[in-house]
Amino acid sequence: TFADCAAGQYDTHFVTLGTNLVAEGRGNSFIRLGWEANGNWYAWNAGNAASAAEWVQCFQHEVTALRSSAPDVRIDWNMNADTKTPTSGDAADIYPGDSYVDVVGVDFYDNWPALDTDALWASHYMDQASGGGPHGIGAWLAFAMGHGKPLSVPEWGIVNATGSCGCGGDDPIYVTHMHDFFSANAANVAYESYFNLGNSGDTTFLVDPSTTSPNASAAYKSLF
């Protein structure tokens, strides 16, 4: 439970994790602790805590525990661009403080909204979420830099699906703008990772192989 976590009852597990990372030569790994906690699809989401403060206390405990055995570990406070919880709609409500964060991360997919035109990309770039927190990728970069942190984009990708998903589909414009964003802001971006994952026949995000999204695939292969 979050209450137990906030009280430090899980610290020993994170001390062990740090010990194991160091033993495997991975003591300087990026750790996306509690990733996408501003969504509502993981058990560790902030909406399952009694309060934003309780979630933050849990995060702080586990960062402290990890660093006690792996002092070079890099903590990535990694949220989702499409804020759903806490109810305020502002991911900053669960920011744990600069001393507990090395990198600010955002998972930034091509849906809600689909960024499939130059005009939509430009208008969304500095967009704020309903509660006032960052939403557009430029707003996330500004948030990170405002805290003196680099930005990471641990997950990004096209969303080539059907139905009411707000998806951009086979979208080379989004891929091109993501490349240009990384290039223009390389000095302030820690890392990025395209989410080229297909499970059980799901090809929603794939640009490799190119069979389902040839236009986005061609853009990715030419730029990256």
Side-chain angles (χ1 to χ4, degrees), residues 102-181:
D102 298 301
V103 178
V104 169
V106 59
D107 294 341
F108 197 81
Y109 289 95
D110 188 24
N111 66 333
W112 306 118
L115 301 173
D116 52 0
T117 70
D118 293 338
L120 284 170
W121 176 274
S123 65
H124 183 64
Y125 187 77
M126 292 301 296
D127 191 37
Q128 299 294 303
S130 59
H135 192 202
I137 198 164
W140 276 101
L141 177 63
F143 179 88
M145 293 178 65
H147 286 275
K149 310 296 179 183
L151 181 74
S152 71
V153 187
E155 299 180 28
W156 67 277
I158 62 166
V159 186
N160 195 359
T162 58
S164 58
C165 62
C167 304
D170 182 10
D171 185 1
I173 293 174
Y174 161 80
V175 173
T176 300
H177 279 296
M178 290 298 286
H179 168 269
D180 293 348
F181 172 81

Side-chain angles (χ1 to χ4, degrees), residues 20-222:
N20 292 341
L21 285 169
V22 171
E24 295 296 329
R26 299 299 299 273
N28 65 343
S29 294
F30 290 98
I31 301 295
R32 296 195 296 154
L33 185 63
W35 76 98
E36 296 187 3
N38 62 322
N40 58 11
W41 41 86
Y42 290 129
W44 53 84
N45 78 72
N48 285 341
S51 65
E54 185 179 70
W55 191 93
V56 165
Q57 289 165 8
C58 174
F59 191 99
Q60 291 171 341
H61 259 282
E62 308 322 352
V63 169
T64 302
L66 262 170
R67 287 174 171 169
S68 72
S69 54
D72 295 326
V73 75
R74 291 172 286 183
I75 303 299
D76 191 335
W77 180 78
N78 175 206
M79 298 292 110
N80 187 68
D82 186 22
T83 304
K84 296 187 182 302
T85 55
T87 54
S88 73
D90 187 351
D93 287 350
I94 55 171
Y95 186 73
D98 292 342
S99 62
Y100 295 94
V101 174
D102 298 301
V103 178
V104 169
V106 59
D107 294 341
F108 197 81
Y109 289 95
D110 188 24
N111 66 333
W112 306 118
L115 301 173
D116 52 0
T117 70
D118 293 338
L120 284 170
W121 176 274
S123 65
H124 183 64
Y125 187 77
M126 292 301 296
D127 191 37
Q128 299 294 303
S130 59
H135 192 202
I137 198 164
W140 276 101
L141 177 63
F143 179 88
M145 293 178 65
H147 286 275
K149 310 296 179 183
L151 181 74
S152 71
V153 187
E155 299 180 28
W156 67 277
I158 62 166
V159 186
N160 195 359
T162 58
S164 58
C165 62
C167 304
D170 182 10
D171 185 1
I173 293 174
Y174 161 80
V175 173
T176 300
H177 279 296
M178 290 298 286
H179 168 269
D180 293 348
F181 172 81
F182 295 137
S183 296
N185 298 287
N188 295 303
V189 175
Y191 68 94
E192 56 87 10
S193 178
Y194 187 91
F195 195 77
N196 195 70
L197 180 65
N199 288 325
S200 302
D202 182 5
T203 59
T204 299
F205 309 105
L206 298 185
V207 291
D208 183 25
S210 62
T211 49
T212 57
S213 300
N215 297 313
S217 179
Y220 188 90
K221 289 177 180 177
S222 69

